[in-house]
């Protein structure tokens, strides 16, 4: 059990983890693509470890010194100017390299208190001196340095960073995890031998975790795994999926299935959480097998194999959260080799593992994988209702839809409702804060949806390029299409060296993306998208490149009647909308955003979609008057379609003023026609006639024959409503003559219809 933490140390380190968001500092490099999210994650992780190190600090002065200087370095993040790249990069680098050391110190202390730290005293003191030098010479003098001064010193700064990284790497080697684990194991063995010098008895066997009390929607998955275990001579089962999908629940349910208990009387459960090395994992397995710590020698693997080989009954070994150690690149081959050795220990051995992601270990024997998706809508509602003990109302169902079927998210949602939060309040909070909304206290992956997602987004396998791709795809509600021209356009906006296909495969392996549909698209679950929108801020110039690639295509394919344009634009409507909204926030805004908005709203208008709410944010931008006039006209057409006549007239009036100011006769005439049609709907026929007549004069003056014909047709139909049949006939025949002479077949057909009606009358 971890030694108790002094109250004064709790308060000291507890104050360091309050709110505060580091700001993105650079928009010009691939590394800066995730400055905001990487800084936030690193600061949170390091400060949490510093807080844990406080337990050691009260008893080991040189650990206290390390923790204290690290705290000062991290706190500088709130003081540095937002444009100071150099300080931010140094802080990120120190945090990244220090995390391994703090994790190792925490693991050692968890195992045996302060014993073993004396061997590290000189290294810890040297590291403290090094951190103080960084703070004094590299951060304090430069934290208020201007962007221009940083630019002038960029060559020197780059060299300093390389030197700093080399020094940090040297310290990491000195604090290698292997060495700390060896000290930990030696100390534990020594303590056990001293406390029980004559007792060779085994440790008390570890109990299995209890069977889950509620399993919803996963019964077919459990049944399939049980059948595979029972029907296979050497079962090797991998339950895979995104964090929070219920992998541990399924594994534990299988473990307690009566058929499994009958076939495998000997069962062991090992949690890999907080075991970041193969040595610690082996120790966990040895503990589960009740191998006494006095027998934990240099050949622990052989001892584990012997224990399983000599078992009287068939054995099932269940290793949970194996990704904790397997995701670390240096440990991955060791884990694979260990699993192969373990697999050969007994022909009556079943191995069951759970891992985040979709990739099983790379062993010579095949795994039988089960990749978990989210629960469907009916099971999501059922799980929520059983946990919250109340029916799912409309806000609850809406929020459940946004949770993507994640059992963890549904469980947290239901528990918060039981605590007193209403579904409508949580829905409102979700729309504003995303995954941060669902938490029940604490920062553990099982008590906070944000923390659960963070473990995957900041996995060792997800680099800056991958997070950049995640951040960009999050801007696209319907995901990234694999069809051209969109896929090639997405690759073209990425920085040099960022390869899209390998990055997408990596993101699929960690279950952050999936490729579905026909034609296929790369999708992310709604909670992941919300997380990325909140915490990953791609550089604005890359967002601008992506947005403009979409804007160019919607402008190029503006003809809603063209089948080719329909095939290209219609599947991307949601993505175009998302990028228009994001593009309207860029500074400076794209020169294409106004025209792209016009064409998008026209496409939506043609599809009977009301997209009037997207226009006001675009109108507030400093776009050319011609684009603004077109937007007002389009907005008026949408309002008219949905019979919001006052709003339509207001939009048309704004457009008319702009066209008049620009001396655009064609634009003025078009607006007068639109205003006339609004007045027809109001049954204000005299006002309508005046608008049509003014439009006709402008078309004639500008020699726009088609516009003249369209207006004559409208005037003729207006006269028909007034029973002025002679004037109606004259106007309609004039329109017909123009259409015939211009070979405008569609217009000719449209005007012959009212002429026929007129003749019948």
């Amino acid at each position: 059990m971890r030694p108790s933490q002094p109250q004064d140390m709790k308060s000291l380190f507890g104050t360091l983890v309050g709110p505060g968001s580091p700001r993105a500092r650079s928009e010009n490099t691939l590394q800066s693509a995730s400055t905001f999210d990487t800084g936030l994650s690193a600061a949170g992780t390091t400060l949490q470890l510093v807080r844990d190190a406080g337990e050691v600090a009260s008893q080991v002065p040189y650990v206290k010194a390390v923790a204290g200087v690290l705290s000062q370095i991290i706190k500088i993040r709130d003081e540095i100017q937002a444009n100071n790249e150099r300080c931010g990069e140094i802080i990120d680098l120190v945090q990244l390299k220090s995390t391994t050391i703090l994790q190792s110190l925490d693991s050692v202390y968890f195992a045996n208190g302060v014993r073993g730290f004396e061997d590290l005293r000189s290294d810890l003191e040297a590291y403290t001196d090094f951190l103080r030098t960084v703070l004094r010479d590299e951060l304090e003098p430069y934290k208020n340095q201007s962007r221009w001064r940083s630019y002038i010193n960029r060559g020197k700064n780059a060299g300093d960073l390389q030197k700093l990284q080399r020094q940090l790497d040297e310290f990491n080697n000195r604090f290698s995890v292997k060495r700390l684990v060896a000290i930990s194991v030696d100390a534990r063995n020594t303590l056990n031998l001293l406390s029980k010098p004559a007792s060779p008895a085994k440790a008390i066997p570890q109990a299995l975790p209890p069977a889950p009390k509620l399993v919803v929607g996963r019964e077919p998955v459990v049944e399939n795994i049980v059948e595979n275990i029972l029907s296979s001579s050497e079962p090797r089962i991998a339950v895979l999926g995104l964090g929070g999908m219920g992998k541990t629940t399924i594994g534990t349910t299988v473990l307690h299935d009566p058929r499994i208990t009958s076939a495998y009387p000997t069962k062991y459960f090992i949690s890999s959480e907080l075991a970041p090395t193969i040595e610690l994992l082996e120790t966990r397995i040895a503990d589960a097998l009740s191998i006494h710590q006095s027998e934990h020698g240099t050949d622990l693997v052989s001892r584990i194999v012997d224990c399983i080989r000599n078992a009287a009954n068939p054995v099932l070994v269940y290793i949970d959260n194996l990704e904790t150690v397997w995701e670390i690149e240096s440990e991955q081959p060791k884990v694979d080799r260990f699993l192969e050795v373990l697999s050969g220990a007994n022909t009556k051995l079943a191995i069951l593992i759970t891992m985040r992601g979709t990739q099983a270990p790379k062993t010579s024997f095949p795994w039988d994988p089960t990749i978990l998706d989210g629960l469907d809508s009916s099971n999501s509602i059922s799980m929520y209702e059983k946990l919250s003990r109340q029916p799912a109302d409309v806000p609850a169902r809406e929020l459940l839809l946004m949770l993507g079927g994640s059992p963890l998210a549904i469980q947290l949602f239901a528990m918060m409702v039981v605590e007193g939060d209403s579904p409508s309040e949580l829905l409102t909070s979700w729309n504003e804060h995303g995954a941060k909304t669902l938490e029940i206290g604490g920062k553990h992956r099982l008590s906070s949806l944000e923390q659960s997602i963070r473990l995957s987004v900041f996995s060792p396998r997800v680099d800056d390029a991958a997070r950049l791709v995640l951040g960009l795809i999050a801007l696209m509600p319907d995901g990234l299409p694999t069809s051209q021209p969109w896929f090639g356009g997405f690759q073209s906006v990425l920085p040099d060296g960022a390869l899209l296909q390998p990055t997408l495969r990596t993101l699929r392996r960690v279950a952050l993306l999936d490729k579905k549909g026909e034609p296929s698209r790369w999708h992310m679950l709604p909670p992941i998208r919300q997380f990325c929108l909140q915490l990953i801020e791609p550089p604005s110039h890359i967002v601008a490149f992506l947005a403009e690639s979409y804007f160019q295509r919607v402008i190029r394919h503006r003809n809603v009647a063209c089948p080719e344009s329909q095939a290209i634009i219609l599947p991307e409507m949601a993505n175009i909308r998302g990028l228009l909204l994001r593009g309207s926030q860029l500074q400076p805004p794209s020169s294409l955003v106004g025209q792209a908005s016009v064409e998008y709203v026209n496409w939506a208008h043609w599809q009977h979609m009301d997209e009037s709410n997207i226009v006001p944010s675009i109108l507030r931008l400093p776009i050319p008057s011609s684009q603004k006039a077109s937007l007002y006209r389009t907005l008026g057409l949408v309002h008219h379609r949905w019979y919001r006549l006052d709003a339509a007239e207001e939009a048309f009036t704004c457009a008319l003023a702009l066209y008049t100011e620009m001396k655009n006769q064609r634009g003025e005439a078009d607006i007068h026609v639109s205003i006339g049609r609004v007045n027809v709907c109001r049954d204000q026929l005299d006002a309508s006639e005046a608008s049509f007549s003014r439009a006709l004069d402008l078309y004639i003056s500008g020699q726009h024959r088609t516009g003249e014909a369209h207006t004559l047709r409208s005037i003729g139909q207006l006269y028909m409503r007034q029973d002025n049949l002679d004037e109606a006939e004259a106007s309609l025949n004039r329109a017909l003559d123009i259409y015939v002479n211009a070979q405008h077949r569609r217009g000719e057909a449209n005007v012959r219809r009212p002429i026929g009606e007129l003749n019948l009358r």
Side-chain angles (χ1 to χ4, degrees):
M1 185 174 181
R2 189 185 287 259
S4 61
Q5 187 181 54
Q7 185 60 39
D8 60 332
M9 297 310 299
K10 285 185 180 179
S11 60
L12 170 63
F13 289 96
T15 59
L16 299 180
V17 291
S21 299
R23 299 177 60 186
R25 293 173 299 278
S26 170
E27 296 180 347
N28 300 316
T29 65
L30 176 59
Q31 184 174 1
S32 73
S34 58
T35 298
F36 178 87
D37 53 286
T38 304
L40 185 61
S41 171
T45 300
T46 309
L47 282 171
Q48 181 63 45
L49 289 165
V50 167
R51 182 172 62 180
D52 291 341
E55 303 179 13
V56 186
S58 62
Q59 303 177 58
V60 186
Y62 36 89
V63 175
K64 181 177 181 179
V66 171
V69 181
L70 273 175
S71 301
Q72 295 177 55
I73 289 175
I74 294 171
K75 288 173 72 175
I76 281 184
R77 185 179 287 280
D78 293 332
E79 303 173 18
I80 63 174
Q81 290 188 5
N83 61 4
N84 195 318
E85 277 182 44
R86 184 176 187 277
C87 286
E89 289 174 340
I90 290 174
I91 292 172
D92 289 344
L93 191 58
V94 171
Q95 286 175 181
L96 179 65
K97 299 297 182 180
S98 298
T99 296
T100 301
I101 294 174
L102 289 172
Q103 286 174 331
S104 301
L105 295 176
D106 193 57
S107 297
V108 171
Y109 186 59
F110 184 84
N112 58 286
V114 300
R115 293 182 59 90
F117 279 104
E118 285 300 325
D119 289 342
L120 300 176
R121 178 169 184 168
S122 60
D123 289 337
L124 284 165
E125 289 175 338
Y127 191 60
T128 303
D129 291 340
F130 169 74
L131 291 176
R132 285 174 176 152
T133 301
V134 171
L135 181 64
R136 182 186 67 244
D137 298 342
E138 303 295 338
L139 293 176
E140 290 288 355
Y142 297 99
K143 67 182 181 182
N144 294 317
Q145 188 181 69
S146 68
R147 179 181 289 276
W148 175 245
R149 179 61 57 187
S150 296
Y151 180 79
I152 294 212
N153 291 333
R154 64 194 184 281
K156 175 181 180 298
N157 292 345
D160 289 347
L161 283 171
Q162 291 176 357
K163 179 181 178 182
L164 180 64
Q165 181 156 355
R166 285 195 300 270
Q167 291 173 303
L168 284 164
D169 286 337
E170 289 176 6
F171 275 107
N172 264 329
N173 291 334
R174 291 160 71 177
F175 286 101
S176 67
V177 176
K178 266 190 170 182
R179 180 180 178 188
L180 290 171
V181 170
I183 292 172
S184 172
V185 172
D186 287 345
R188 291 177 63 186
N189 290 342
T190 302
L191 284 174
N192 281 307
L193 288 172
L194 288 173
S195 61
K196 293 187 178 181
S199 175
K202 290 188 176 181
I204 299 173
Q206 296 188 2
L208 298 177
K213 294 182 179 180
L214 179 66
V215 178
V216 179
R218 298 303 196 192
E219 296 85 356
V221 176
V222 171
E223 185 64 25
N224 184 60
I225 293 174
V226 170
E227 290 180 358
N228 288 345
I229 291 176
L230 297 177
S231 62
S232 175
S233 58
E234 294 184 352
R236 304 293 182 261
I237 309 295
V239 183
L240 310 170
L242 182 67
M245 281 296 162
K247 298 181 294 295
T248 300
T249 297
I250 288 174
T252 309
T253 303
V254 169
L255 197 65
H256 285 279
D257 189 282
R259 293 166 293 176
I260 295 296
T261 300
S262 176
Y264 292 90
T266 304
K267 297 179 292 186
Y268 300 108
F269 171 82
I270 301 97
S271 173
S272 300
E273 198 167 15
L274 299 179
T277 67
I278 185 61
E279 291 87 354
L280 286 176
L281 177 61
E282 291 166 359
T283 302
R284 292 278 181 88
I285 294 175
D287 289 341
L289 270 58
S290 302
I291 299 174
H292 196 273
Q293 292 173 355
S294 62
E295 301 177 64
H296 290 198
T298 56
D299 200 11
L300 183 57
V301 175
S302 297
R303 187 68 189 90
I304 293 171
V305 170
D306 288 341
C307 186
I308 293 176
R309 180 180 293 125
N310 297 328
N313 300 308
V315 177
L316 187 149
V317 174
Y318 171 22
I319 306 176
D320 193 35
N321 298 119
L322 184 59
E323 79 283 346
T324 303
V325 57
W326 191 81
E327 280 192 326
I328 300 173
E329 187 175 1
S330 61
E331 300 298 307
Q332 193 175 109
K334 303 174 189 177
V335 176
D336 293 339
R337 286 195 298 270
F338 171 76
L339 290 172
E340 291 187 353
V341 172
L342 185 66
S343 179
N346 192 328
T347 57
K348 296 180 180 180
L349 170 67
I351 301 177
L352 171 63
I353 63 172
T354 64
M355 294 178 65
R356 281 178 179 248
T358 62
Q359 188 177 20
K362 304 168 188 175
T363 53
S364 58
F365 60 84
W367 292 90
D368 185 357
T370 296
I371 301 176
L372 300 180
D373 289 323
L375 299 175
D376 60 26
S377 177
S378 62
N379 281 314
S380 295
I381 293 172
S382 175
M383 181 177 180
Y384 167 79
E385 291 181 339
K386 289 178 180 178
L387 290 171
S388 67
R389 300 176 184 175
Q390 61 179 262
D393 57 12
V394 173
R397 290 171 183 259
E398 189 174 340
L399 181 51
L400 286 170
L401 189 63
M402 297 179 183
L403 299 184
S406 165
L408 173 63
I410 297 169
Q411 181 181 13
L412 294 173
F413 175 26
M415 293 174 72
M416 293 181 73
V417 169
V418 171
E419 289 177 348
D421 294 292
S422 72
S424 60
E425 290 171 341
L426 292 173
L427 176 61
T428 300
S429 178
W430 176 273
N431 289 331
E432 184 176 352
H433 303 295
K436 292 181 179 180
T437 298
L438 299 183
E439 56 82 25
I440 55 173
K443 296 296 182 181
H444 191 268
R445 61 180 178 84
L446 298 180
S447 62
S448 165
L449 181 60
E450 183 188 28
Q451 288 301 115
S452 178
I453 297 174
R454 186 185 295 277
L455 287 175
S456 294
V457 173
F458 294 100
S459 156
R461 288 185 282 173
V462 181
D463 58 14
D464 287 344
R467 275 187 287 274
L468 170 62
V469 170
L470 269 181
L472 293 174
I473 294 180
L475 301 174
M476 307 162 70
D478 277 349
L480 173 64
T482 58
S483 58
Q484 298 298 347
W486 308 107
F487 191 83
F490 192 95
Q491 171 67 78
S492 68
V493 306
L494 297 180
D496 293 341
L499 299 179
L500 183 56
Q501 284 284 18
T503 300
L504 292 172
R505 284 194 289 269
T506 295
L507 292 171
R508 178 166 59 183
R509 287 171 185 151
V510 295
L512 290 171
L513 288 181
D514 194 12
K515 187 162 66 170
K516 293 182 178 179
E518 187 56 46
S520 59
R521 309 174 76 89
W522 289 95
H523 285 277
M524 63 177 69
L525 287 175
I528 300 173
R529 180 169 180 263
Q530 282 290 93
F531 178 92
C532 294
L533 288 173
Q534 292 274 338
L535 293 178
I536 298 181
E537 182 66 29
S540 59
H541 70 282
I542 295 181
V543 175
F545 290 156
L546 177 62
E548 290 204 353
S549 72
Y550 268 71
F551 297 166
Q552 289 167 358
R553 289 185 176 90
V554 74
I555 293 170
R556 186 181 309 134
H557 299 282
R558 63 168 63 94
N559 185 358
V560 297
C562 172
E564 180 186 357
S565 295
Q566 292 171 10
I568 291 174
I569 298 300
L570 292 181
E572 294 303 306
M573 288 291 285
N575 288 344
I576 295 169
R577 187 183 195 280
L579 289 168
L580 279 172
L581 291 173
R582 183 66 182 86
S584 67
Q585 301 169 7
L586 295 174
Q587 293 297 332
S590 166
S591 60
L592 303 177
V593 67
Q595 188 60 37
S597 300
V598 170
E599 305 306 339
Y600 167 75
V601 176
N602 280 336
W603 273 101
H605 185 61
W606 183 71
Q607 286 288 98
H608 304 283
M609 297 163 53
D610 182 4
E611 287 289 12
S612 56
N613 60 341
I614 200 175
V615 177
S617 62
I618 309 297
L619 285 171
R620 287 192 289 269
L621 299 176
I623 58 178
S625 295
S626 59
Q627 293 183 12
K628 191 167 289 190
S630 295
L631 266 176
Y632 274 121
R633 178 178 180 272
T634 303
L635 181 61
L637 293 173
V638 173
H639 285 316
H640 189 188
R641 160 71 67 82
W642 297 96
Y643 218 75
R644 296 187 290 263
L645 301 182
D646 291 343
E649 184 178 21
E650 181 181 352
F652 287 140
T653 301
C654 291
L656 181 60
L658 288 168
Y659 283 129
T660 303
E661 181 183 332
M662 293 185 293
K663 296 182 171 52
N664 185 331
Q665 281 192 343
R666 166 81 181 274
E668 284 185 68
D670 290 342
I671 294 301
H672 279 297
V673 169
S674 296
I675 293 175
R677 289 171 179 166
V678 168
N679 287 325
V680 167
C681 292
R682 289 170 166 162
D683 206 28
Q684 297 175 354
L685 303 187
D686 291 341
S688 178
E689 183 179 0
S691 294
F692 287 147
S693 297
R694 177 59 181 151
L696 183 61
D697 292 342
L698 290 168
Y699 283 133
I700 292 173
S701 174
Q703 297 184 345
H704 191 276
R705 299 291 284 168
T706 303
E708 180 184 348
H710 292 338
T711 307
L712 285 168
R713 187 182 73 198
S714 296
I715 293 174
Q717 291 173 315
L718 176 64
Y719 286 148
M720 287 177 68
R721 272 187 80 163
Q722 296 173 320
D723 286 331
N724 191 347
L725 303 186
D726 291 339
E727 294 290 344
E729 183 178 17
S731 294
L732 293 173
N733 283 329
R734 282 178 61 190
L736 179 62
D737 290 342
I738 295 173
Y739 284 135
V740 170
N741 290 333
Q743 296 184 345
H744 195 298
R745 301 303 183 195
R746 183 176 178 182
E748 182 181 347
N750 287 336
V751 80
R752 286 189 183 279
R753 187 182 304 111
I755 289 175
E757 294 174 3
L758 185 64
N759 290 332
L760 288 174
R761 294 173 64 178

